[in-house]
Amino acid sequence: MNPIKLVYITGRGHSGSTLLALLISGHSQVISAGEVKMLNNPDPRHRLCSCHRLAPEQCPFWSQVEEQVQAQLGLPLRGLALMDQGDLATFARHNSVLFAAIAAVSGCAVIVDSSKSLPRLSRLLAAVDAEAISAVQVWPIHLHRGPLGLMNSVRKLGYSLRDSSDNYGRLFFRTRDCLASVPSLEVLYERLARHPRREVVRVMAWLGLPFEQQQLRWRLGVRRDVHGNAMRFGGSERIEPDDSWRWQLTLAQQCAVAVWTLPVRLRSPCLFRWMRWLMKPSGFAKASRTSDNLVP
């Protein structure tokens, strides 16, 4: 049997992982499982699937996956070691069986896991290195979002701009270290939102799959994602960047975030160039003109 290709999206929350997963899984050979780490969350509200808005044990698709997992491991999905539970061998065994069940029920050998968690990705990579998982290939995508937009999003949730900026930097460098010796792809949220076709074509080329037009019609078809942004349940296919930071952050706050996140931007040319472009009045004018043409 050919190995399962696991496309793992890692990065900060509120960076567009749900959108990216939906666009990739619009391909006929791909299924997105959503945030796999949430399958054992005790609160069913955090485990709702995109296809039926039900907890996995009540969803027709996920209940079939659970049946196969139980047949192999004697455990329900909520009993799986998906983060730091158990030793590496147990983690590897549980995830290998889970991905095999998802592939068998869906008929797709390419699975998207948008858990974002760096510890989960590190453990998956360690399991592959130790040859504890032999039938799964991990393809990491490091999803970035510019600091101004991201800090504005977390500010609305009550988090400190300074603490969030510091965490932004720490996670960036930890992720870079984790992926230093692993083939991976960087995706910038702002580019994905402004040029979805171009970015999806680039992602699919990296995965070795042809782009399919239906991927941009991301509301069509059935999606199986567990957890994720509430956009999963909306009706519009419109894709456009969230530039609300421009009027919701004061000039002083924008300057402070720019300074606090400078170490990241100096080491990420795409973020440095993009943020410099965005802060130019001409860049904002261009973005405003193009945002009306983002419907796929």
Side-chain angles (χ1 to χ4, degrees):
M1 182 180 71
N2 292 329
I4 292 168
K5 185 176 288 187
L6 177 66
V7 183
Y8 191 98
I9 300 173
T10 187
R12 282 286 302 263
H14 305 280
S15 293
S17 60
T18 300
L19 173 62
L20 180 58
L22 290 171
L23 288 168
I24 296 174
S25 65
H27 194 280
S28 58
Q29 299 177 46
V30 182
I31 180 172
S32 174
E35 299 189 25
V36 172
K37 69 177 183 181
M38 302 301 289
L39 284 172
N40 57 16
N41 190 289
D43 188 342
R45 292 173 298 179
H46 294 305
R47 294 185 287 118
L48 298 182
C49 66
S50 296
C51 44
H52 296 88
R53 299 196 192 192
L54 296 172
E57 59 269 20
Q58 299 172 318
C59 167
F61 173 84
W62 283 103
S63 60
Q64 291 183 63
V65 172
E66 186 166 59
E67 287 176 7
Q68 295 202 18
V69 169
Q70 284 186 313
Q72 292 287 319
L73 301 174
L75 292 169
L77 295 178
R78 288 183 60 188
L80 297 180
L82 301 175
M83 289 293 288
D84 56 359
Q85 308 96 331
D87 56 22
L88 185 61
T90 300
F91 174 86
R93 171 70 173 156
H94 286 193
N95 282 271
S96 180
V97 169
L98 172 62
F99 292 133
I102 293 172
V105 175
S106 67
C108 296
V110 182
I111 300 172
V112 180
D113 180 349
S114 56
S115 291
K116 296 187 293 294
S117 165
L118 185 60
R120 173 167 167 76
L121 173 59
S122 298
R123 215 163 192 215
L124 286 167
L125 292 173
V128 171
D129 285 343
E131 299 183 352
I133 296 181
S134 59
V136 177
Q137 298 174 344
V138 182
W139 292 62
I141 293 179
H142 188 184
L143 178 63
H144 295 288
R145 184 177 179 184
L148 291 171
L150 184 54
M151 294 308 104
N152 189 45
S153 291
V154 299
R155 178 192 62 82
K156 296 175 186 177
L157 299 175
Y159 294 100
S160 148
L161 281 179
R162 180 56 193 266
D163 290 344
S164 297
S165 296
D166 290 344
N167 289 335
Y168 182 87
R170 280 195 293 270
L171 182 60
F172 173 85
F173 289 112
R174 287 174 55 208
T175 303
R176 192 179 69 160
D177 290 343
C178 174
L179 299 177
S181 59
V182 179
S184 61
L185 182 71
E186 290 191 0
V187 174
L188 185 62
Y189 158 78
E190 285 81 2
R191 287 179 177 165
L192 178 67
R194 295 189 194 283
H195 307 288
R197 178 190 296 274
R198 185 180 70 190
E199 287 301 292
V200 174
V201 168
R202 186 172 70 91
V203 170
M204 301 314 292
W206 178 70
L207 293 174
L209 292 173
F211 167 75
E212 294 179 352
Q213 179 63 31
Q214 66 195 23
Q215 291 181 255
L216 297 179
R217 303 300 307 278
W218 55 282
R219 288 291 181 199
L220 299 179
V222 178
R223 297 293 189 270
R224 306 298 187 182
D225 303 65
V226 170
H227 197 59
N229 192 288
M231 65 179 292
R232 297 181 297 150
F233 305 127
S236 172
E237 287 187 344
R238 187 179 182 83
I239 300 174
E240 60 184 358
D242 177 6
D243 284 333
S244 59
W245 61 267
R246 293 187 177 279
W247 56 88
Q248 293 177 353
L249 292 180
T250 66
L251 180 59
Q253 288 174 322
Q254 293 179 32
C255 291
V257 169
V259 171
W260 293 332
T261 59
L262 183 60
V264 173
R265 293 184 293 107
L266 288 175
R267 290 163 178 80
S268 177
C270 65
L271 282 178
F272 186 81
R273 290 194 300 269
W274 196 261
M275 188 168 176
R276 184 176 61 183
W277 179 84
L278 281 174
M279 295 188 76
K280 289 182 179 179
S282 59
F284 180 48
K286 182 178 180 182
S288 299
R289 289 195 301 271
T290 58
S291 63
D292 291 333
N293 299 313
L294 293 173
V295 181

